[in-house]
Amino acid sequence: VRAVGKSQGWSSWDFSLPLQVFANARLGTLAAVMNDDRSGPMAPLLEAAARAVELDIVTQQAFEARLGAQVLLDAYSYDKVGWETVLEPWRVSASAVVPLDGRSLPLRARGRGSALAVESRERMELTLSPTAVEVLTSTSEILQTLLQSPGAGAPGRAGAGGAPPLQ
């Protein structure tokens, strides 16, 4: 990460524009598994992964970000006692451009002229089996519950049935 801006020393930065940030990251694999413990012991539901992740961020006249990865999604089938592919590995990229108002970082960027694009040169292969539909429905219910009651369901938070939060 490289930042170019006005500095009054190491600990005090003036983050008004013109601040220029150039950042890029390359990661091998990011993966997440969603488990369900609503009706008994914890059980796997969904596995999502992104391989060959590339992220580039530039801020000059606009906040610009580009993210590329090969994504895949699997659902756990109890009938087959294993994972079923929902989304075959698919190379996709997303980019966003948010014009800056000349005084602030993207947190207060103006909405005019903003652009978001998602593109791929590959065909997406999606399999909607009964297992996939069931798992995606359960995942949606879990996420709605988490979003409606902050702190509920996250380990270590009040109301989650886990350890109390650290003071």
Side-chain angles (χ1 to χ4, degrees):
V1 175
R2 184 171 48 130
V4 180
K6 303 176 197 171
S7 173
Q8 307 299 322
W10 177 254
S11 63
S12 68
W13 277 83
D14 174 4
F15 281 105
S16 61
L17 295 179
L19 174 70
Q20 298 176 352
V21 176
F22 306 90
N24 60 32
R26 304 290 181 260
L27 303 169
T29 301
L30 291 174
V33 175
M34 178 176 255
N35 295 308
D36 184 4
D37 64 353
R38 295 176 297 167
S39 59
M42 190 171 299
L45 270 182
L46 195 64
E47 178 185 44
R51 298 178 184 152
V53 179
E54 300 173 1
L55 174 65
D56 295 305
I57 297 174
V58 176
T59 63
Q60 289 178 328
Q61 302 298 324
F63 174 82
E64 300 178 38
R66 183 185 178 285
L67 176 66
Q70 182 184 52
V71 296
L72 55 111
L73 186 65
D74 296 327
Y76 192 80
S77 169
Y78 290 97
D79 294 336
K80 296 180 180 177
V81 191
W83 294 98
E84 283 186 10
T85 300
V86 177
L87 176 64
E88 293 286 342
W90 181 51
R91 185 79 190 158
V92 63
S93 64
S95 59
V97 177
V98 180
L100 301 175
D101 64 8
R103 300 184 311 271
S104 64
L105 291 173
L107 294 175
R108 294 190 320 226
R110 61 179 192 231
R112 244 181 211 190
S114 298
L116 176 65
V118 177
E119 61 187 13
S120 178
R121 292 194 168 112
E122 298 177 2
R123 182 179 59 200
M124 177 174 40
E125 294 183 38
L126 189 65
T127 303
L128 292 177
S129 67
T131 297
V133 172
E134 180 182 339
V135 166
L136 293 173
T137 301
S138 294
T139 301
S140 175
E141 291 169 0
I142 291 169
L143 293 175
Q144 285 177 354
T145 301
L146 289 174
L147 293 174
Q148 290 172 356
S149 55
R157 292 196 181 166
L166 296 175
Q167 300 297 327

